[in-house]
Amino acid sequence: MPKRADLSDTFCPVGRSAELLGDRAVLLILRDLFFGRRRFEAIAANTGLGPQLVSARLKLMEKQGVVERHAYQERPPRHEYRLTAKGKDLFDVLYAMRNWAERWAYEAGEAASGPAMRYIHRACGADVGTSTICPECGEVLRYGDLKGEPSAALKAEQAAKGA
Amino acid sequence: MPKRADLSDTFCPVGRSAELLGDRAVLLILRDLFFGRRRFEAIAANTGLGPQLVSARLKLMEKQGVVERHAYQERPPRHEYRLTAKGKDLFDVLYAMRNWAERWAYEAGEAASGPAMRYIHRACGADVGTSTICPECGEVLRYGDLKGEPSAALKAEQAAKGA
DNA sequence: GATAGTAACTATGATAATCATAGTGACAAG
DNA sequence: CTTGTCACTATGATTATCATAGTTACTATC
């Protein structure tokens, strides 16, 4: 393909987000970062993306200011990637994607066994289901407010990928 | 590239969403549909995407059940694309992307002139800013609840594209 | 009634992004 | 001194994307 069209100078906010978020690899890496997977190899293994794609996207995300590269030891040199405040603020987007998928992206048979991932509101202990705000206490859900419990199927899948 | 990895059978809900939403063209087309642009040529012009990309993505979106192709006249045959309930339910995702971009994706100079797009809550008349729920009446914002007013710069940009 | 116009596409070729696989550098452990 | 781990980089085949041009089915204008 020719170089993909640049959207970073559009005035439309959705266009600007799409410049970064309209990319499968970026979304998958963000998901892993939100789940606490910070090491390069762990992200590559869980996402199933090749190392040069992970490398390229992490560099891009660092340039965009959503992740920070951080050395967690000197000898041998080892790095991890952390979400910045700008990155953590993408929680709403990822959470909305999760909610939509839980509502629409599973077949009847799959859905019967409950959501792929249950989320509990730490503040009040309620199962939030797929709502934007907590159905029990009515609070807006933010980064860190939820405790996730993957279904057995999801747990098995992740284990199979060695992540 | 080789065929891109298929995520439609992951158990992870974000992965399933990423299968559809991790694509610049899909996001831009969805944006246009949410703004009421339903005709093929209008979407192609405003997104700046080539006709075969728009065609391919609309077919995909139709297959996924987020849009419906609808003939609005017989002679000559003319079609438009409409969001289905499943498509309209993506509002939360697009709105979260918009909010994030308004908060983070503009330079100081650009941001000074206010948001690229102002949204008013129809029910109470309040400017919602970049919040998930209405800052005045506290209600969760859904598809159709908001009235958007593009900034002068955004209006000029769209006019220049002939949309 | 021949030319121009519009909407909704399809066809073609050049370019570039992606995947799979293999390899590298820096060290630690056995 | 061979094996192992982490964090990558290099290479080559494949395929998606973009830009441009062309097609189909009509209506409207000269």
Side-chain angles (χ1 to χ4, degrees):
Chain A
M1 358 160 160
K3 191 171 18 188
R4 61 193 197 181
D6 184 29
L7 300 171
S8 58
D9 57 348
T10 322
F11 286 105
C12 173
V14 179
R16 293 211 180 188
S17 294
E19 177 72 24
L20 178 68
L21 300 176
D23 183 292
R24 303 152 63 81
V26 168
L27 292 176
L28 294 178
I29 292 171
L30 281 171
R31 174 196 64 184
D32 277 24
L33 290 169
F34 272 110
F35 279 117
R37 248 175 235 113
R38 293 202 265 253
R39 294 190 349 275
F40 187 96
E41 289 291 309
I43 293 170
N46 189 253
T47 56
L49 302 168
Q52 73 286 53
L53 227 201
V54 176
S55 174
R57 288 303 182 276
L58 283 171
K59 278 196 179 74
L60 172 69
M61 291 161 77
E62 199 186 352
K63 201 170 134 200
Q64 300 280 319
V66 298
V67 300
E68 270 174 357
R69 193 178 130 116
H70 184 84
Y72 65 88
Q73 70 177 38
E74 296 278 319
R75 336 193 51 78
R78 291 285 182 273
H79 303 283
E80 63 176 24
Y81 292 87
R82 295 180 185 171
L83 289 166
T84 61
K86 185 175 176 181
K88 288 173 187 168
D89 199 42
L90 283 166
F91 173 78
D92 287 3
V93 178
L94 278 279
Y95 184 61
M97 287 174 62
R98 175 261 171 184
N99 285 340
W100 179 81
E102 292 279 13
R103 286 195 289 259
W104 297 97
Y106 294 86
E107 304 291 322
E110 298 173 309
S113 51
M117 189 103 186
R118 287 181 65 232
Y119 281 107
I120 306 297
H121 191 205
R122 285 185 206 278
C124 72
D127 187 325
V128 299
T130 60
S131 22
T132 307
I133 60 173
C134 178
E136 188 132 325
C137 68
E139 265 186 47
V140 175
L141 302 172
R142 303 191 183 290
Y143 173 72
D145 288 356
L146 299 175
K147 199 168 63 120
E149 183 58 26
S151 68
L154 181 52
K155 238 186 274 188
E157 181 182 86
Q158 291 181 340
K161 285 186 287 196
Chain B
M1 359 164 164
K3 190 170 20 186
R4 63 194 195 180
D6 183 28
L7 299 171
S8 58
D9 56 350
T10 321
F11 286 105
C12 174
V14 178
R16 294 211 179 186
S17 295
E19 177 74 24
L20 178 67
L21 301 175
D23 183 294
R24 305 152 64 78
V26 168
L27 292 175
L28 295 177
I29 292 170
L30 280 172
R31 174 196 64 185
D32 277 24
L33 289 169
F34 273 110
F35 279 116
R37 248 175 235 114
R38 293 202 264 253
R39 295 192 346 277
F40 186 97
E41 288 290 310
I43 292 170
N46 189 253
T47 57
L49 301 168
Q52 72 287 53
L53 228 199
V54 176
S55 174
R57 288 304 183 274
L58 283 171
K59 279 195 178 75
L60 172 68
M61 291 161 77
E62 199 185 354
K63 203 171 133 200
Q64 299 281 318
V66 298
V67 301
E68 270 174 356
R69 194 178 131 116
H70 184 85
Y72 65 88
Q73 70 177 35
E74 297 276 320
R75 334 195 54 76
R78 290 286 182 272
H79 304 283
E80 62 177 23
Y81 293 87
R82 294 179 185 171
L83 289 166
T84 61
K86 184 176 176 180
K88 286 173 186 168
D89 198 43
L90 283 165
F91 172 78
D92 286 2
V93 178
L94 278 278
Y95 184 60
M97 287 175 61
R98 175 261 171 186
N99 285 340
W100 180 80
E102 292 278 13
R103 285 196 290 260
W104 297 98
Y106 294 86
E107 303 292 320
E110 298 173 310
S113 52
M117 191 103 185
R118 286 180 65 233
Y119 280 107
I120 305 297
H121 191 205
R122 284 185 207 277
C124 73
D127 186 325
V128 298
T130 60
S131 22
T132 307
I133 60 172
C134 178
E136 190 133 325
C137 66
E139 266 185 46
V140 175
L141 303 171
R142 305 191 182 286
Y143 174 73
D145 288 356
L146 300 174
K147 199 166 65 115
E149 182 59 25
S151 67
L154 181 52
K155 238 186 272 187
E157 181 183 85
Q158 291 180 339
K161 286 186 286 196

